[in-house]
Amino acid sequence: MNEALLRSLTPSVLAVLVRRGADFAAAEDAVQDALVEAIRVWPADPPRDAKGWLVTVAWRKFLDAARSDAARRRRQDLVEDEPAPGPASAVDDTLQLYFLCAHPSLTPSSAVALTLRAVGGLTTRQIAQAYLVPEATMAQRISRAKRTVSGVRFDQPGDVATVLRVLYLVFNEGYSGDVDLAAEAIRLTRQLATAIDHPEVAGLLALMLLHHARRAARTAPDGGLVPLAEQDRGRWDTKLIAEGVEILQAALARDRLGEFQAQAAIAALHADAPTAEETDWVQIVEWYDELAGLTDSPVVRLNRAVAVGEADGPRAGLAALAALDASLPRHTAVAAYLHERDGDLTTAARLYAEAAQKAPNLAERAHLTRQAARLNSRRGG
């Protein structure tokens, strides 16, 4: 296999697809898929016209992806903005695709990445952000996963834990990212909860419902983010909260605690507080301790530092934060918030401005920029 030839042909093949009408990101993904196919096929059957072969295969991949995206969007259009309480009435084949992509021949992380890309409709950039890795690293991981399953019979479905991880990441991207997939993730998780009696499936569904219940209050009329403490709790969906709490309580009663149940318990404590000031932060810290023990996730420990700052004071929160890697996403924003709570407005304003530059989306960047401007105004700076 002449990898140098493939690398040299990539820009010209990409340019052909763009000239034919493909947008750059979709064309790039199609060319990447064509390169993977070339690596698989060429050693046994090298083409006479390498560039022509790549253009043909890449264009076919682009068309397949476009049709798949159109079908996914049609499915999304059938989903109501607010998922109705109660069990799902029917199961379509989308959930089955999630299980098939979570193939036993793949590692869990590769299966999740492949499923998010192929079925969930997320971009490589979005998946990389969810996994806290560079986009190039994630692109390589997805490519390796595609090579692994190339020619494999998809008759052995993957495990529930991998599918739950995919649904969780799809919901997170739909809830806070550029593509609205939250309602679709809830719909599929309802189907899974109907089909499988598992406390972590119930925990994930409860977590989704409790977060989705706050959705209407998360943004201002101008599209800006509204922090949890400043949200109008009268706009929270009490029916979704009640359903989420009921599902969570039934799951916790089975005494098989998992990370999604622990996260849902934290969300339930927020939902239960009539005001931000009445939030039971001490109990939230205890649940974060449970969650950290289950996952050892640096993001969990970052969120725990915020909770510690609320329960024991900002300096305790800053001490917890100091033990974490400063390169963590949103680490700077958390530091800014805790310094503001501690009365150090100069440091807080500087950190808010730094955090804005690192924000993963425009809404968060605008929010952090406003926070920095607010403090600078208060300081007269």
Side-chain angles (χ1 to χ4, degrees):
M1 169 58 60
N2 192 335
E3 293 185 5
L5 174 62
L6 287 177
R7 284 196 298 270
S8 68
L9 290 174
T10 296
S12 58
V13 174
L14 182 60
V16 171
L17 266 65
V18 172
R19 284 199 300 271
R20 288 185 179 184
D23 69 81
F24 186 86
E28 196 172 30
D29 287 339
V31 172
Q32 185 69 31
D33 289 343
L35 295 176
V36 172
E37 188 73 3
I39 292 172
R40 186 178 72 85
V41 172
W42 285 11
D45 185 22
R48 274 181 275 183
D49 179 4
K51 179 180 176 181
W53 189 98
L54 285 171
V55 168
T56 300
V57 173
W59 184 247
R60 189 182 306 133
K61 297 285 187 183
F62 166 73
L63 292 177
D64 289 344
R67 294 187 189 105
S68 175
D69 186 63
R72 178 179 60 79
R73 291 183 184 280
R74 284 196 296 274
R75 289 198 303 269
Q76 282 182 246
D77 290 341
L78 297 175
V79 181
E80 295 180 354
D81 288 341
E82 296 293 339
S89 58
V91 177
D92 62 22
D93 59 2
T94 306
L95 191 58
Q96 183 64 18
L97 287 175
Y98 274 71
F99 274 94
L100 292 176
C101 284
H103 198 272
S105 64
L106 296 172
T107 64
S109 61
S110 294
V112 170
L114 177 62
T115 313
L116 289 170
R117 186 71 188 92
V119 186
L122 302 190
T123 66
T124 303
R125 175 182 59 82
Q126 291 167 328
I127 301 169
Q129 288 176 346
Y131 269 90
L132 310 181
V133 299
E135 184 174 350
T137 299
M138 184 52 66
Q140 292 172 356
R141 184 179 300 177
I142 293 172
S143 294
R144 285 196 300 270
K146 289 178 180 178
R147 287 197 297 271
T148 299
V149 299
S150 179
V152 171
R153 287 176 55 83
F154 278 79
D155 55 0
Q156 295 177 273
D159 68 338
V160 175
T162 300
V163 174
L164 287 179
R165 176 65 50 191
V166 175
L167 289 168
Y168 173 67
L169 292 173
V170 169
F171 176 81
N172 279 350
E173 190 60 42
Y175 189 65
S176 61
D178 302 323
V179 181
D180 185 359
L181 294 172
E184 173 72 353
I186 290 174
R187 184 181 72 85
L188 292 173
T189 307
R190 283 193 188 281
Q191 290 183 358
L192 189 58
T194 300
I196 299 176
D197 182 20
H198 192 294
E200 272 294 83
V201 176
L204 178 59
L205 179 56
L207 174 64
M208 288 179 174
L209 294 175
L210 289 164
H211 277 301
H212 207 68
R214 304 200 302 256
R215 184 169 187 169
R218 290 185 72 248
T219 54
D222 63 358
L225 290 180
V226 180
L228 176 61
E230 300 172 17
Q231 289 176 14
D232 177 0
R233 299 185 178 217
R235 300 183 65 196
W236 290 1
D237 188 325
T238 54
K239 289 183 179 179
L240 281 184
I241 291 173
E243 184 187 8
V245 169
E246 182 180 0
I247 291 170
L248 173 62
Q249 289 174 339
L252 291 175
R254 301 176 66 175
D255 198 24
R256 290 168 55 193
L257 184 64
E259 63 171 297
F260 294 123
Q261 294 170 73
Q263 288 191 58
I266 293 168
L269 286 168
H270 283 298
D272 186 56
T275 66
E277 292 73 24
E278 295 173 86
T279 303
D280 189 346
W281 287 106
V282 172
Q283 195 172 166
I284 286 176
V285 171
E286 292 173 355
W287 274 111
Y288 270 122
D289 288 338
E290 293 276 3
L291 187 55
L294 290 166
T295 66
D296 195 30
S297 164
V299 174
V300 169
R301 297 188 185 280
L302 184 69
N303 292 332
R304 180 185 177 277
V306 177
V308 169
E310 299 289 352
D312 301 327
R315 295 193 178 182
L318 287 167
L321 187 65
L324 303 177
D325 186 347
S327 66
L328 273 174
R330 297 187 172 88
H331 184 285
T332 308
V334 170
Y337 173 74
L338 291 172
H339 276 291
E340 180 184 357
R341 287 279 319 280
D342 196 37
D344 186 352
L345 303 189
T346 300
T347 300
R350 175 177 57 79
L351 290 172
Y352 275 130
E354 288 180 16
Q357 297 301 314
K358 305 173 185 176
N361 55 63
L362 290 175
E364 192 168 330
R365 181 179 303 171
H367 170 70
L368 292 167
T369 300
R370 284 195 297 270
Q371 295 293 81
R374 173 179 58 81
L375 292 188
N376 282 328
S377 175
R378 283 176 57 184
R379 295 188 305 118

Short mmCIF file of all heavy atoms in Angstrom, two decimals, residues 72 113 116-117 120-135 138 142 169-170 172-174 176-181 360-361:
data_model
loop_
_atom_site.label_atom_id
_atom_site.label_comp_id
_atom_site.label_asym_id
_atom_site.label_seq_id
_atom_site.Cartn_x
_atom_site.Cartn_y
_atom_site.Cartn_z
N ARG A 72 -32.22 10.54 8.80
CA ARG A 72 -32.18 10.85 10.24
C ARG A 72 -32.96 12.10 10.55
O ARG A 72 -33.69 12.16 11.54
CB ARG A 72 -30.72 11.02 10.68
CG ARG A 72 -30.57 11.37 12.15
CD ARG A 72 -29.11 11.51 12.54
NE ARG A 72 -28.44 12.55 11.79
CZ ARG A 72 -28.57 13.84 12.07
NH1 ARG A 72 -29.34 14.25 13.05
NH2 ARG A 72 -27.92 14.74 11.34
N ALA A 113 -17.54 5.66 19.50
CA ALA A 113 -17.17 6.67 18.51
C ALA A 113 -17.77 6.34 17.14
O ALA A 113 -18.32 7.21 16.46
CB ALA A 113 -15.64 6.76 18.40
N LEU A 116 -21.65 6.90 17.21
CA LEU A 116 -21.97 8.33 17.21
C LEU A 116 -21.81 8.92 15.82
O LEU A 116 -22.61 9.75 15.38
CB LEU A 116 -21.07 9.08 18.20
CG LEU A 116 -21.35 8.83 19.68
CD1 LEU A 116 -20.23 9.45 20.52
CD2 LEU A 116 -22.68 9.41 20.08
N ARG A 117 -20.77 8.47 15.11
CA ARG A 117 -20.51 9.02 13.78
C ARG A 117 -21.47 8.46 12.74
O ARG A 117 -22.03 9.19 11.93
CB ARG A 117 -19.06 8.70 13.37
CG ARG A 117 -18.64 9.35 12.07
CD ARG A 117 -18.48 10.85 12.23
NE ARG A 117 -18.26 11.49 10.94
CZ ARG A 117 -19.23 11.98 10.18
NH1 ARG A 117 -20.48 11.88 10.57
NH2 ARG A 117 -18.95 12.56 9.04
N GLY A 120 -25.50 8.20 15.08
CA GLY A 120 -25.93 9.36 15.85
C GLY A 120 -25.88 10.67 15.08
O GLY A 120 -26.52 11.64 15.46
N GLY A 121 -25.12 10.70 13.98
CA GLY A 121 -25.07 11.90 13.16
C GLY A 121 -24.17 12.99 13.68
O GLY A 121 -24.20 14.12 13.18
N LEU A 122 -23.31 12.70 14.67
CA LEU A 122 -22.41 13.72 15.20
C LEU A 122 -21.17 13.81 14.32
O LEU A 122 -20.76 12.85 13.67
CB LEU A 122 -22.00 13.38 16.63
CG LEU A 122 -23.12 13.23 17.66
CD1 LEU A 122 -22.53 13.15 19.05
CD2 LEU A 122 -24.12 14.37 17.58
N THR A 123 -20.56 14.96 14.31
CA THR A 123 -19.32 15.14 13.56
C THR A 123 -18.14 14.61 14.38
O THR A 123 -18.23 14.43 15.60
CB THR A 123 -19.06 16.62 13.24
OG1 THR A 123 -18.83 17.33 14.47
CG2 THR A 123 -20.26 17.24 12.53
N THR A 124 -17.02 14.41 13.69
CA THR A 124 -15.82 13.96 14.40
C THR A 124 -15.41 14.98 15.45
O THR A 124 -14.96 14.61 16.55
CB THR A 124 -14.68 13.75 13.39
OG1 THR A 124 -15.10 12.81 12.39
CG2 THR A 124 -13.43 13.21 14.08
N ARG A 125 -15.56 16.26 15.14
CA ARG A 125 -15.22 17.31 16.12
C ARG A 125 -16.06 17.19 17.38
O ARG A 125 -15.55 17.28 18.50
CB ARG A 125 -15.42 18.68 15.47
CG ARG A 125 -15.19 19.85 16.46
CD ARG A 125 -15.43 21.19 15.79
NE ARG A 125 -16.78 21.29 15.27
CZ ARG A 125 -17.84 21.62 16.03
NH1 ARG A 125 -17.70 21.83 17.33
NH2 ARG A 125 -19.03 21.71 15.48
N GLN A 126 -17.37 17.00 17.22
CA GLN A 126 -18.25 16.89 18.38
C GLN A 126 -17.91 15.68 19.24
O GLN A 126 -17.92 15.76 20.47
CB GLN A 126 -19.71 16.83 17.91
CG GLN A 126 -20.22 18.13 17.31
CD GLN A 126 -21.53 17.94 16.58
OE1 GLN A 126 -21.80 16.89 16.01
NE2 GLN A 126 -22.36 18.97 16.59
N ILE A 127 -17.60 14.56 18.59
CA ILE A 127 -17.25 13.35 19.33
C ILE A 127 -15.93 13.55 20.07
O ILE A 127 -15.78 13.14 21.23
CB ILE A 127 -17.16 12.15 18.38
CG1 ILE A 127 -18.50 11.94 17.66
CG2 ILE A 127 -16.79 10.88 19.15
CD1 ILE A 127 -18.43 10.94 16.51
N ALA A 128 -14.97 14.20 19.42
CA ALA A 128 -13.67 14.47 20.06
C ALA A 128 -13.85 15.34 21.29
O ALA A 128 -13.21 15.11 22.34
CB ALA A 128 -12.73 15.15 19.06
N GLN A 129 -14.71 16.35 21.21
CA GLN A 129 -14.96 17.21 22.36
C GLN A 129 -15.57 16.42 23.51
O GLN A 129 -15.23 16.61 24.68
CB GLN A 129 -15.88 18.36 21.97
CG GLN A 129 -15.22 19.41 21.09
CD GLN A 129 -16.19 20.48 20.64
OE1 GLN A 129 -17.40 20.34 20.75
NE2 GLN A 129 -15.66 21.57 20.11
N ALA A 130 -16.47 15.50 23.19
CA ALA A 130 -17.11 14.69 24.23
C ALA A 130 -16.10 13.80 24.94
O ALA A 130 -16.21 13.53 26.14
CB ALA A 130 -18.23 13.84 23.64
N TYR A 131 -15.08 13.34 24.21
CA TYR A 131 -14.08 12.45 24.77
C TYR A 131 -12.82 13.17 25.24
O TYR A 131 -11.87 12.53 25.69
CB TYR A 131 -13.70 11.38 23.74
CG TYR A 131 -14.53 10.13 23.86
CD1 TYR A 131 -15.71 10.00 23.14
CD2 TYR A 131 -14.17 9.10 24.70
CE1 TYR A 131 -16.50 8.87 23.25
CE2 TYR A 131 -14.94 7.96 24.83
CZ TYR A 131 -16.10 7.85 24.09
OH TYR A 131 -16.87 6.73 24.21
N LEU A 132 -12.79 14.49 25.11
CA LEU A 132 -11.67 15.30 25.59
C LEU A 132 -10.36 14.92 24.88
O LEU A 132 -9.30 14.87 25.51
CB LEU A 132 -11.50 15.17 27.11
CG LEU A 132 -12.75 15.38 27.96
CD1 LEU A 132 -12.40 15.25 29.44
CD2 LEU A 132 -13.39 16.73 27.69
N VAL A 133 -10.44 14.63 23.57
CA VAL A 133 -9.23 14.30 22.81
C VAL A 133 -9.19 15.18 21.57
O VAL A 133 -10.20 15.72 21.14
CB VAL A 133 -9.21 12.81 22.39
CG1 VAL A 133 -9.23 11.90 23.60
CG2 VAL A 133 -10.37 12.48 21.46
N PRO A 134 -8.00 15.34 20.95
CA PRO A 134 -7.91 16.13 19.71
C PRO A 134 -8.76 15.51 18.59
O PRO A 134 -8.95 14.29 18.55
CB PRO A 134 -6.42 16.08 19.37
CG PRO A 134 -5.73 15.77 20.65
CD PRO A 134 -6.67 14.89 21.42
N GLU A 135 -9.23 16.36 17.69
CA GLU A 135 -10.07 15.88 16.59
C GLU A 135 -9.33 14.86 15.74
O GLU A 135 -9.91 13.85 15.29
CB GLU A 135 -10.54 17.06 15.74
CG GLU A 135 -11.49 16.67 14.63
CD GLU A 135 -12.04 17.87 13.89
OE1 GLU A 135 -11.83 19.02 14.35
OE2 GLU A 135 -12.67 17.67 12.84
N MET A 138 -9.44 11.45 17.31
CA MET A 138 -10.74 10.80 17.18
C MET A 138 -10.97 10.33 15.75
O MET A 138 -11.55 9.26 15.52
CB MET A 138 -11.85 11.77 17.60
CG MET A 138 -13.24 11.13 17.57
SD MET A 138 -13.37 9.58 18.49
CE MET A 138 -13.10 10.14 20.17
N ILE A 142 -11.96 6.49 14.76
CA ILE A 142 -13.12 6.10 13.97
C ILE A 142 -12.68 5.32 12.74
O ILE A 142 -13.31 4.32 12.36
CB ILE A 142 -13.94 7.35 13.58
CG1 ILE A 142 -14.56 7.98 14.84
CG2 ILE A 142 -15.04 6.99 12.58
CD1 ILE A 142 -15.22 9.32 14.58
N LEU A 169 -24.08 10.38 25.28
CA LEU A 169 -23.31 11.39 24.55
C LEU A 169 -24.16 12.08 23.49
O LEU A 169 -24.01 13.29 23.26
CB LEU A 169 -22.07 10.76 23.93
CG LEU A 169 -21.00 10.29 24.93
CD1 LEU A 169 -19.90 9.53 24.21
CD2 LEU A 169 -20.41 11.47 25.69
N VAL A 170 -25.03 11.34 22.82
CA VAL A 170 -25.93 11.96 21.85
C VAL A 170 -26.84 12.97 22.55
O VAL A 170 -27.06 14.08 22.06
CB VAL A 170 -26.77 10.89 21.12
CG1 VAL A 170 -27.89 11.53 20.30
CG2 VAL A 170 -25.88 10.06 20.20
N ASN A 172 -26.25 14.59 25.36
CA ASN A 172 -25.44 15.73 25.79
C ASN A 172 -25.19 16.68 24.63
O ASN A 172 -25.26 17.91 24.79
CB ASN A 172 -24.10 15.27 26.37
CG ASN A 172 -24.23 14.82 27.81
OD1 ASN A 172 -25.26 15.03 28.44
ND2 ASN A 172 -23.20 14.19 28.32
N GLU A 173 -24.89 16.15 23.46
CA GLU A 173 -24.64 17.01 22.31
C GLU A 173 -25.93 17.70 21.88
O GLU A 173 -25.93 18.87 21.52
CB GLU A 173 -24.06 16.20 21.15
CG GLU A 173 -23.56 17.06 20.01
CD GLU A 173 -22.46 18.02 20.44
OE1 GLU A 173 -21.57 17.62 21.19
OE2 GLU A 173 -22.53 19.19 20.01
N GLY A 174 -27.02 16.96 21.94
CA GLY A 174 -28.30 17.56 21.58
C GLY A 174 -28.75 18.61 22.56
O GLY A 174 -29.42 19.59 22.21
N SER A 176 -26.72 20.53 24.58
CA SER A 176 -25.88 21.73 24.73
C SER A 176 -25.07 22.07 23.49
O SER A 176 -24.34 23.04 23.48
CB SER A 176 -24.90 21.53 25.89
OG SER A 176 -24.06 20.43 25.65
N GLY A 177 -25.19 21.28 22.43
CA GLY A 177 -24.33 21.50 21.27
C GLY A 177 -25.05 22.16 20.11
O GLY A 177 -26.07 22.82 20.26
N ASP A 178 -24.50 21.92 18.92
CA ASP A 178 -24.99 22.58 17.72
C ASP A 178 -26.14 21.84 17.05
O ASP A 178 -26.87 22.40 16.24
CB ASP A 178 -23.85 22.71 16.71
CG ASP A 178 -22.67 23.46 17.29
OD1 ASP A 178 -22.93 24.42 18.05
OD2 ASP A 178 -21.53 23.11 17.02
N VAL A 179 -26.31 20.57 17.37
CA VAL A 179 -27.34 19.76 16.73
C VAL A 179 -28.34 19.30 17.78
O VAL A 179 -27.96 18.78 18.82
CB VAL A 179 -26.71 18.51 16.04
CG1 VAL A 179 -27.79 17.70 15.35
CG2 VAL A 179 -25.62 18.94 15.07
N ASP A 180 -29.64 19.46 17.51
CA ASP A 180 -30.66 19.12 18.49
C ASP A 180 -31.03 17.65 18.36
O ASP A 180 -31.84 17.26 17.54
CB ASP A 180 -31.90 20.01 18.28
CG ASP A 180 -32.94 19.75 19.37
OD1 ASP A 180 -32.69 18.89 20.23
OD2 ASP A 180 -34.00 20.41 19.35
N LEU A 181 -30.43 16.82 19.20
CA LEU A 181 -30.71 15.39 19.18
C LEU A 181 -31.24 14.91 20.53
O LEU A 181 -31.40 13.71 20.74
CB LEU A 181 -29.43 14.62 18.85
CG LEU A 181 -28.86 14.82 17.45
CD1 LEU A 181 -27.50 14.16 17.35
CD2 LEU A 181 -29.79 14.25 16.40
N PRO A 360 -16.39 25.86 23.92
CA PRO A 360 -16.62 24.94 22.81
C PRO A 360 -17.73 25.37 21.85
O PRO A 360 -17.88 24.79 20.78
CB PRO A 360 -17.01 23.64 23.52
CG PRO A 360 -17.61 24.08 24.80
CD PRO A 360 -16.86 25.31 25.20
N ASN A 361 -18.53 26.38 22.23
CA ASN A 361 -19.58 26.83 21.32
C ASN A 361 -19.81 28.33 21.53
O ASN A 361 -19.37 28.92 22.52
CB ASN A 361 -20.88 26.04 21.52
CG ASN A 361 -21.36 26.08 22.96
OD1 ASN A 361 -21.68 27.14 23.49
ND2 ASN A 361 -21.41 24.92 23.60
#
